[in-house]
Amino acid sequence: MSSTINKRANTNDVAPSNPLQSDFDALSNSTDDDERYLKRALGYKQSLHRQWKFFESFAASFAALYSVGGIRTTFTIGVGAGGPAAYWSSYVITCIFVFITAAVLAEICSALPAAGSIYFWAAEAGGRRYGRFFGFIVAWWSTTAWTTFVASNCQAAANFLLSEITVFGLSFSTDVNDIKFRAVQWIVAEGFLFLAISMNYLDPKTYSLIFRIATGIILLDFFLNIVWLPIAVSKSYGFQDAKYVFTQTYNETGAPPVWNWMLSFYVTAGILVGFEASGHISEETKNASITAARGIFWSAVASAVIGFPLVILFLFCLPDLDTLYNFGAPQPFVEIYALTMGRGGHVFMNVVCIFGLIFNTTVAGVASSRLIWAVARDGVLPFSGWISQVSAKKEPKNAVIVMHVVAALLLCTILPSPVAFTSLVSAAGVPTITAYALIAFGRFFLTPHEFRHARWSLGKWSRPFTLIALVWNLYLACVLFSPLGFPVTGQTFNYSPVIFGAITIFGIATYFLTPEEKWLPNARLGKVHQLDDEYNRE
């Protein structure tokens, strides 16, 4: 996209189509660099409050990732595919490539610190020809993924609570195939959703406290597992030996040996996804072109680093896999804590786990609502005008309502079948990872010379890292599309490709049905790069 083409774009081509979009040619009276850059280079008015600093930016991704809870929630799936040897080695490999992907996205965020995050980056990466198409596709992918993630967190919290039924020997089934249990599971999950998202309606100034509480609970959870669990295990059934932890293989999936091993990435990749949340809140972050980029990269690093010792610790501390898979509770870790810490101790541990997931959901809701708001600001979603409205407190309250309602509806899929919601959960990671790949594709092949003025820059490593991120995330998408049980039946079929396909069709349909003037017009995409160059020369 050349500057000559950009300069020929007439005024009507770049005129705002939404009150929240800025007139590029209007002068800004603000002395704030973030506001000036948002208006003059990215084409948006400062509509949200901007008061968060590095900690809030870091915590948005760190708490949304919650790698401690992610490892625990999906642990039995991970060790079932390849066994302990596959699990820990796949985690190490995942960490390396996640660092690279996070660095690539951080660089793009530094050049384009907008609330739409990966949606906006995809539109820019697609260039003048494909930008609008990429934008619409990723808008639907990302909003669906984050809303589904909010819903799945609440089901996970419900499983921790309802596992006490098994521990205390109550006469109520915890079999997910029992409709009565699923009904209770649904009610509890909806309750946790209401509790978590209700904090999103608070004054934005209180969010700093929520970020601190969420981060504190994660660190408490981490240290309790690192210190208390091994002491408790040593006084109960004892540790596994090193040979078991580092060399033992296992095939719970029934897949061919090589693919069974590859399926271990199904979990390790799902644990470390969503680190772009710092980008979702970038329009509320001071010095966003540096702060948000650092938040993305360092939250991914911190989440991965604290996760690795837990993976190794859990492999040493858990009973053998046959015993593990015979536990009757919907969340096996609750029974493990009960066996090792006793009833009183494990209840405290379980409360920490549940509150960790609740605040994880709250922070994820902050990121998700900003994403939905930004997508609506550009006219991609139905009722975009209403969704993109901002309250007097400079909060996207209507976007929070939409996120809450959709997440509540998604939880209803628990009722008809446990398979339906499990597939929906797996579908939460696929759109985000595929969006990472699409951004890397556009960045490498379509707009390789754009985003040159990122203050957080990879320099000469930018292009090779972008190619690596493309290949890695395409591989992960293939793994996440795979069934987790073989032979494939109606009960073991992974419906995430079907769900992903339906989301993509929605994106394509809205691309064709939405008039271009109702969206951020293509000419504005070119103008962004032109004014970015001019701004950085000032």
Side-chain angles (χ1 to χ4, degrees):
M1 171 188 334
S2 70
S3 59
T4 302
I5 295 176
N6 292 334
K7 291 175 181 177
R8 289 177 181 172
N10 67 47
T11 305
N12 291 331
D13 289 334
V14 296
S17 57
N18 183 300
L20 301 177
Q21 293 171 358
S22 170
D23 182 349
F24 282 112
D25 295 326
L27 295 177
S28 174
N29 295 323
S30 175
T31 58
D32 183 88
D33 287 342
D34 288 307
E35 185 172 340
R36 288 174 59 236
Y37 186 77
L38 182 68
K39 184 171 185 177
R40 291 201 55 210
L42 302 185
Y44 295 115
K45 294 180 181 178
Q46 182 65 53
S47 303
L48 305 179
H49 72 103
R50 190 186 289 271
Q51 58 185 354
W52 292 335
K53 299 179 182 179
F54 174 72
F55 178 82
E56 288 81 9
S57 181
F58 169 84
S61 290
F62 182 72
L65 281 167
Y66 190 20
S67 59
V68 178
I71 290 168
R72 186 169 45 217
T73 301
T74 59
F75 194 85
T76 54
I77 300 174
V79 294
Y87 192 96
W88 73 262
S89 59
S90 297
Y91 188 89
V92 172
I93 294 170
T94 300
C95 287
I96 295 170
F97 290 107
V98 161
F99 296 162
I100 293 173
T101 302
V104 170
L105 293 183
E107 182 181 48
I108 301 173
C109 179
S110 181
L112 304 168
S117 194
I118 56 176
Y119 146 73
F120 189 64
W121 305 338
E124 292 291 303
R128 187 177 182 84
R129 184 172 183 180
Y130 298 105
R132 183 170 179 266
F133 180 73
F134 280 18
F136 272 76
I137 295 295
V138 173
W140 282 92
W141 286 354
S142 55
T143 52
T144 302
W146 274 90
T147 309
T148 304
F149 174 62
V150 167
S152 65
N153 265 359
C154 296
Q155 192 210 22
N159 284 344
F160 273 93
L161 179 62
L162 296 176
S163 292
E164 297 291 5
I165 294 173
T166 302
V167 172
F168 284 94
L170 303 180
S171 58
F172 190 83
S173 172
T174 55
D175 184 357
V176 294
N177 294 308
D178 187 337
I179 182 61
K180 292 182 179 179
F181 172 74
R182 293 205 305 275
V184 173
Q185 186 184 45
W186 170 68
I187 293 170
V188 174
E190 293 283 11
F192 281 138
L193 176 68
F194 178 81
L195 177 61
I197 301 304
S198 63
M199 287 186 274
N200 281 196
Y201 295 105
L202 299 175
D203 190 309
K205 294 179 180 179
T206 65
Y207 289 168
S208 292
L209 177 61
I210 291 172
F211 286 137
R212 281 166 170 75
I213 293 173
T215 303
I217 291 175
I218 293 172
L219 295 177
L220 174 63
D221 192 358
F222 172 75
F223 284 114
L224 285 175
N225 279 285
I226 289 292
V227 177
W228 192 4
L229 181 60
I231 294 173
V233 169
S234 68
K235 295 179 179 180
S236 53
Y237 53 72
F239 300 103
Q240 300 289 346
D241 59 39
K243 181 179 179 182
Y244 169 86
V245 170
F246 295 109
T247 65
Q248 179 69 43
T249 59
Y250 198 82
N251 191 336
E252 173 74 9
T253 67
V258 174
W259 192 245
N260 177 60
W261 187 287
M262 294 296 101
L263 284 174
S264 61
F265 287 101
Y266 186 100
V267 170
T268 60
I271 293 167
L272 299 174
V273 66
F275 39 80
E276 81 279 3
S278 299
H280 295 328
I281 67 164
S282 59
E283 289 185 34
E284 297 163 271
T285 305
K286 292 179 179 291
N287 195 21
S289 60
I290 289 289
T291 304
R294 288 174 176 168
I296 289 173
F297 181 74
W298 289 113
S299 64
V301 171
S303 297
V305 167
I306 70 169
F308 179 70
L310 280 182
V311 168
I312 300 299
L313 178 71
F314 288 159
L315 290 173
F316 272 108
C317 289
L318 266 59
D320 64 85
L321 295 180
D322 290 332
T323 302
L324 185 64
Y325 286 116
N326 283 326
F327 284 146
Q331 177 42 253
F333 264 86
V334 177
E335 289 197 68
I336 292 165
Y337 290 141
L339 283 174
T340 57
M341 300 174 181
R343 285 196 173 184
H346 100 271
V347 168
F348 175 77
M349 192 70 208
N350 202 14
V351 169
V352 172
C353 296
I354 292 170
F355 271 96
L357 285 167
I358 290 173
F359 278 91
N360 173 215
T361 305
T362 300
V363 174
V366 173
S368 176
S369 60
R370 272 56 181 176
L371 171 64
I372 292 170
W373 171 80
V375 170
R377 174 174 60 180
D378 287 345
V380 176
L381 301 177
F383 310 107
S384 285
W386 178 79
I387 296 173
S388 63
Q389 290 177 10
V390 179
S391 71
K393 295 180 179 179
K394 295 187 175 182
E395 181 187 28
K397 187 167 291 185
N398 292 349
V400 175
I401 293 172
V402 169
M403 174 193 62
H404 193 167
V405 171
V406 174
L409 292 174
L410 289 172
L411 281 174
C412 293
T413 59
I414 294 172
L415 293 171
S417 167
V419 178
F421 191 80
T422 303
S423 295
L424 234 118
V425 170
S426 66
V430 172
T432 302
I433 286 172
T434 310
Y436 294 168
L438 185 63
I439 292 168
F441 172 82
R443 182 92 164 82
F444 190 85
F445 291 106
L446 303 178
T447 53
H449 303 300
E450 305 297 348
F451 320 123
R452 291 171 296 178
H453 299 287
R455 295 173 63 195
W456 198 96
S457 176
L458 296 174
K460 66 180 181 180
W461 294 102
S462 182
R463 277 183 63 75
F465 275 13
T466 300
L467 182 60
I468 292 170
L470 169 61
V471 174
W472 166 248
N473 286 285
L474 284 177
Y475 164 71
L476 288 187
C478 294
V479 172
L480 290 170
F481 281 140
S482 172
L484 278 175
F486 294 81
V488 180
T489 65
Q491 291 296 312
T492 61
F493 182 72
N494 183 358
Y495 290 92
S496 61
V498 179
I499 297 169
F500 178 79
I503 298 168
T504 305
I505 290 172
F506 272 112
I508 294 172
T510 53
Y511 167 76
F512 284 109
L513 296 175
T514 304
E516 187 171 321
E517 62 272 13
K518 296 294 184 181
W519 186 67
L520 181 69
N522 283 346
R524 288 175 67 84
L525 291 176
K527 194 73 172 176
V528 165
H529 296 300
Q530 177 189 339
L531 293 180
D532 185 23
D533 287 346
E534 293 175 3
Y535 183 87
N536 281 281
R537 285 196 297 267
E538 290 180 357

